Amino acid sequence: MNGSPRKKQRTDVQESIVTVILGAQWGDEGKGKVVDLLATTADVVCRCQGGNNAGHTIVVDGIEYDFHLLPSGIIQPNVKSVIGNGVVIHLPQLFDEIEKNVKKGMKDWEQRLIISDRAHLVFDFHQAVDGLQEQEKNQKGQGLGTTKKGIGPTYSSKATRNGIRVGDLLGDFEKFREKFKTLVATYERMFPNLQVNIEDELVRYEKYAIKIKPLVYDTVSFLDKAIREGKKILVEGANAAMLDIDFGTYPYVTSSNCTVGGVCTGLGISPIRISTIVGVVKAYTTRVGDGPFPTELSNEIGDLMQERGGEIGVTTKRKRRCGWLDVFLLQYTNMINGYTAFCVTKLDILDTLKEVKIAVGYNLNGKRIHYMPSTASDLAKVECEYITLPGWEASTENVREFSDLPKNAQSYINKIEELVGVPIKWIGVGKGRESIIKIN
């Protein structure tokens, strides 16, 4: 060392804003609506994980759009939409989804949709295997309530390194043919009843290769360039923290990381680029399918939440189980995700209740615990400690300012903020884009 001062490292990175939207509970919190709201000022909207097992509903000018694979920002005319490498893609579903939304008014999607060449493909036989595996589990009383969309088997193929990526489809088709046959043979050995018409599928995918080619790009370099140019990037997480394969209620989880770490691995974005992490929280709690649910209400209040909230899964069409808001759970998912802000949705669903409860602690085997149980069996045994707040028994649907909310509704929101320690920036009181209260 000669004692001379070190030169400051030069960088061409401008101040890019990368905002991440994540489900803070068991999914169905209304992430798509928040993405739609924030996408109006974004340059790029991304999906980073999951597949068509996700379901996001957007209502714009009275028109309801349902997205499963497409990023919700696709309906914004000036926004690029990226399907990242961490997503698993069923091409028939993708193009079916595009067609349905075009009929509802979605325009110019071809110029704005970008698909990673590293994303893995979901085939029909993956979906068939998903159903067969669930059938086997159900016979043993161990069903997981999977969506049967082939997501788990596709991620399994990815992990065992015999999966097929978008880039494989667009390369030498003879090599794709051999990979496809090998993958089918693997599953046929595992499931003798599985039937796949290989030649018909290959003809089908040869056509898909032509159809998808103009949309495919190296999304890692695309996003890096966007960041260096100071573009506003919005990342739309699918599923939710309690469905994360590592941190959720395993095995009643999805097959990907739907916490903040999945954003980095699913898009190739460095964690230091992420500036804002928004947790989306339903004003009560719901979950679809099986698995432990400490605050579940199997009574008339749960039925009221289900009916008033229209709690039917966008993807599964199954009724969602409903229960009180679980702050202990939110504190846990905040440990993992480090939320910088909350959006609380569906506050209006609680408008008719005389009182509302919030779970603030868990007791396991008669003792207060300060951690989230790692096993589903332990979580199923916890007893919740609640605080009770007075309801507001007044409509919030047309309220657009926080100060105009009924006082007891304000108290409910303030109590959530106080207990979790995360500022609440938005409150949803209806279906449409316009029915969100923004808190400065």
Side-chain angles (χ1 to χ4, degrees), residues 76-138:
Q76 297 291 340
N78 300 314
V79 172
K80 295 285 187 183
S81 290
V82 172
I83 299 179
N85 58 275
V87 180
V88 291
I89 305 172
H90 184 243
L91 291 180
Q93 165 74 46
L94 175 64
F95 286 108
D96 180 61
E97 184 178 323
I98 289 169
E99 184 180 340
K100 286 179 179 177
N101 285 294
V102 165
K103 288 179 180 178
K104 292 181 178 181
M106 185 177 76
K107 298 177 181 178
D108 303 324
W109 61 271
E110 302 98 327
Q111 282 75 49
R112 295 183 289 105
L113 181 62
I114 299 169
I115 299 173
S116 172
D117 53 2
R118 291 177 170 86
H120 278 249
L121 293 170
V122 181
F123 296 103
D124 286 1
F125 63 79
H126 281 126
Q127 297 188 336
V129 166
D130 204 353
L132 291 170
Q133 288 176 330
E134 184 70 2
Q135 187 178 3
E136 285 183 2
K137 291 184 176 77
N138 284 331

Side-chain angles (χ1 to χ4, degrees), residues 26 134 138 141-146 243 249 251-253 287-293 296 318 321:
W26 274 292
E134 184 70 2
N138 284 331
Q142 300 172 350
L144 300 177
T146 174
L243 295 174
T249 48
Y252 302 96
V253 293
R287 87 170 291 174
V288 171
D290 299 317
F293 184 175
E296 184 172 10
R318 290 177 291 184
R321 300 150 64 191

Side-chain angles (χ1 to χ4, degrees), residues 224-289:
D224 180 68
K225 183 173 184 288
I227 287 170
R228 291 177 183 280
E229 292 175 349
K231 303 289 187 184
K232 290 184 179 179
I233 297 171
L234 188 61
V235 182
E236 175 181 13
N239 316 114
M242 294 306 291
L243 295 174
D244 184 277
I245 193 166
D246 285 302
F247 302 111
T249 48
Y250 190 89
Y252 302 96
V253 293
T254 192
S255 302
S256 61
N257 287 112
C258 29
T259 44
V260 70
V263 173
C264 301
T265 58
L267 291 170
I269 291 177
S270 167
I272 65 171
R273 304 296 182 213
I274 298 172
S275 56
T276 305
I277 302 170
V278 179
V280 187
V281 180
K282 199 174 284 186
Y284 46 104
T285 310
T286 64
R287 87 170 291 174
V288 171

Side-chain angles (χ1 to χ4, degrees), residues 148-412:
K148 301 182 182 67
K149 298 293 185 181
I151 308 303
T154 305
Y155 277 118
S156 295
S157 296
K158 178 178 179 178
T160 53
R161 299 184 294 281
N162 60 353
I164 299 176
R165 305 201 291 187
V166 170
D168 296 320
L169 177 61
L170 300 186
D172 184 334
F173 198 79
E174 286 307 308
K175 290 183 179 179
F176 172 84
R177 178 189 298 272
E178 291 309 310
K179 286 186 176 184
F180 186 84
K181 287 181 176 180
T182 300
L183 187 55
V184 170
T186 299
Y187 278 111
E188 284 180 336
R189 285 194 297 271
M190 296 166 61
F191 299 92
N193 293 329
L194 181 67
Q195 295 181 343
V196 181
N197 189 321
I198 291 177
E199 291 308 316
D200 281 359
E201 285 295 279
L202 287 169
V203 169
R204 188 183 183 203
Y205 273 85
E206 200 162 12
K207 293 176 181 176
Y208 277 132
I210 297 169
K211 203 170 181 180
I212 199 175
K213 188 172 183 178
L215 310 173
V216 178
Y217 200 85
D218 174 11
T219 55
V220 177
S221 59
F222 172 83
L223 289 171
D224 180 68
K225 183 173 184 288
I227 287 170
R228 291 177 183 280
E229 292 175 349
K231 303 289 187 184
K232 290 184 179 179
I233 297 171
L234 188 61
V235 182
E236 175 181 13
N239 316 114
M242 294 306 291
L243 295 174
D244 184 277
I245 193 166
D246 285 302
F247 302 111
T249 48
Y250 190 89
Y252 302 96
V253 293
T254 192
S255 302
S256 61
N257 287 112
C258 29
T259 44
V260 70
V263 173
C264 301
T265 58
L267 291 170
I269 291 177
S270 167
I272 65 171
R273 304 296 182 213
I274 298 172
S275 56
T276 305
I277 302 170
V278 179
V280 187
V281 180
K282 199 174 284 186
Y284 46 104
T285 310
T286 64
R287 87 170 291 174
V288 171
D290 299 317
F293 184 175
T295 66
E296 184 172 10
L297 293 168
S298 301
N299 58 19
E300 67 279 0
I301 297 177
D303 292 341
L304 181 141
M305 290 175 177
Q306 197 281 323
E307 184 178 347
R308 280 182 55 81
E311 297 296 353
I312 304 289
V314 176
T315 299
T316 63
K317 304 304 178 186
R318 290 177 291 184
K319 284 187 177 182
R320 299 181 187 127
R321 300 150 64 191
C322 300
W324 296 119
L325 183 67
D326 190 338
V327 155
F328 189 84
L329 178 152
L330 293 178
Q331 291 167 338
Y332 168 68
T333 67
N334 184 40
M335 288 182 205
I336 297 162
N337 288 321
Y339 306 119
T340 58
F342 269 162
C343 173
V344 176
T345 62
K346 288 197 166 185
L347 182 69
D348 55 304
I349 305 308
L350 305 181
D351 284 352
T352 62
L353 296 177
K354 291 184 178 180
E355 62 181 28
V356 288
K357 294 185 178 183
I358 299 175
V360 295
Y362 285 178
N363 290 308
L364 179 61
N365 299 324
K367 294 182 180 179
R368 180 76 180 263
I369 58 173
H370 301 281
Y371 60 90
M372 180 62 67
S374 63
T375 65
S377 57
D378 276 352
L379 187 58
K381 291 188 290 187
V382 302
E383 295 180 352
C384 294
E385 292 183 9
Y386 291 99
I387 59 171
T388 302
L389 284 73
W392 41 97
E393 296 184 272
S395 176
T396 60
E397 289 183 26
N398 296 316
V399 176
R400 296 296 177 264
E401 297 289 337
F402 182 76
S403 58
D404 292 334
L405 283 173
K407 294 300 181 186
N408 288 346
Q410 293 183 37
S411 297
Y412 185 66

